Amino acid sequence: DTAVSQTPKYLVTQMGNDKSIKCEQNLGHDTMYWYKQDSKKFLKIMFSYNNKELIINETVPNRFSPKSPDKAHLNLHINSLELGDSAVYFCASANKWGGADGADTQYFGPGTRLTVL
Amino acid sequence: RKEVEQDPGPFNVPEGATVAFNCTYSNSASQSFFWYRQDCRKEPKLLMSVYSSGNEDGRFTAQLNRASQYISLLIRDSKLSDSATYLCVVNSRGSTLGRLYFGRGTQLTVWP
């Protein structure tokens, strides 16, 4: 059973194209995230949704648009792809946004390796 | 200053060695602390949470020093399978309670 799944696993595309990455979690979690891991392996948050509501929107170009049709899905659409968008994009989910005990463990999907040519 | 700072390594140790990783964080209001492990070309996975009193899980021991804003991970009797990148992770407090900040990771290679 895959807890957090992403499609596609690999994505190779030309500059200027528009592409989407899909994420689904079957853990019943309320909160989902998108992270970008660049070539230096630094993992940076991009967006977070809690119960379909946007909570975190980092300083990300507006070419990136997340969409959460329901609690179990968080998709990422990227317009006008640029060379610098090449990275691994990870989706993650957590049981809840946070409570008295602080942040919940986040469970990551397998990643989507995006290469922009 | 970055939210979480780690020595990137790499650490290269023989099987059976004891190795320690350190990490510092900048936000004194941070409330939750974790070590994640990331294998090459894989996703990060939770290794262990870090509690104020320190905690142990088999060969792994995590310590937290809130006064110094310092977290450590000790691995005893290293195995080949421990080779990975270890990520120090802390959260923020307040409205962004659920946000996690990841260190750049410390790379460990255990050799036979």
Side-chain angles (χ1 to χ4, degrees):
Chain A
D1 278 348
T2 304
V4 183
S5 58
Q6 293 179 230
T7 53
K9 195 165 184 183
Y10 298 96
L11 186 53
V12 181
T13 188
Q14 299 283 341
M15 259 194 334
N17 284 350
D18 302 339
K19 290 293 177 186
S20 291
I21 308 172
K22 296 187 176 183
C23 177
E24 176 181 0
Q25 54 94 2
N26 63 7
L27 297 166
H29 286 171
D30 284 351
T31 310
M32 296 185 73
Y33 305 81
W34 276 111
Y35 288 88
K36 178 181 179 180
Q37 189 169 45
D38 58 26
S39 56
K40 294 183 179 176
K41 309 298 182 189
F42 194 44
L43 198 64
K44 286 186 69 174
I45 192 164
M46 300 174 70
F47 302 103
S48 176
Y49 273 73
N50 187 54
N51 272 318
K52 301 195 299 175
E53 282 191 46
L54 182 65
I55 297 185
I56 293 176
N57 185 351
E58 275 300 286
T59 311
V60 175
N62 57 16
R63 298 181 294 104
F64 290 79
S65 51
K67 194 163 284 187
S68 182
D70 55 60
K71 234 171 56 164
H73 295 85
L74 180 61
N75 303 323
L76 183 65
H77 187 76
I78 316 170
N79 288 329
S80 304
L81 278 155
E82 300 178 357
L83 294 176
D85 297 333
S86 296
V88 182
Y89 291 84
F90 286 104
C91 176
S93 75
N95 186 33
K96 58 186 189 305
W97 173 242
D101 295 330
D104 264 354
T105 301
Q106 292 184 15
Y107 297 84
F108 284 77
T112 296
R113 190 170 295 272
L114 171 65
T115 303
V116 182
L117 303 174
Chain B
R1 184 184 170 187
K2 287 196 169 56
E3 293 281 344
V4 182
E5 301 265 16
Q6 282 183 261
D7 179 349
F11 285 69
N12 297 304
V13 302
E15 266 188 299
T18 295
V19 62
F21 305 139
N22 303 317
C23 159
T24 56
Y25 60 96
S26 62
N27 187 347
S28 59
S30 291
Q31 199 174 3
S32 303
F33 309 90
F34 309 90
W35 283 101
Y36 277 68
R37 170 194 168 130
Q38 186 172 22
D39 292 301
C40 188
R41 301 179 77 86
K42 297 284 190 181
E43 71 273 22
K45 290 184 179 177
L46 178 70
L47 177 68
M48 58 197 299
S49 300
V50 185
Y51 302 116
S52 295
S53 53
N55 48 299
E56 194 173 298
D57 183 0
R59 298 180 293 108
F60 298 85
T61 300
Q63 298 277 355
L64 169 65
N65 183 325
R66 283 188 186 270
S68 304
Q69 294 176 212
Y70 172 97
I71 306 164
S72 65
L73 177 69
L74 183 77
I75 305 176
R76 288 183 301 279
D77 188 23
S78 299
K79 312 288 184 196
L80 295 177
S81 57
D82 293 335
S83 297
T85 296
Y86 290 83
L87 305 168
C88 178
V89 185
V90 307
N91 81 320
S92 56
R93 198 164 182 160
S95 61
T96 55
L97 186 65
R99 177 184 175 147
L100 296 182
Y101 293 92
F102 286 76
R104 196 176 287 275
T106 299
Q107 189 180 335
L108 171 67
T109 301
V110 181
W111 45 273

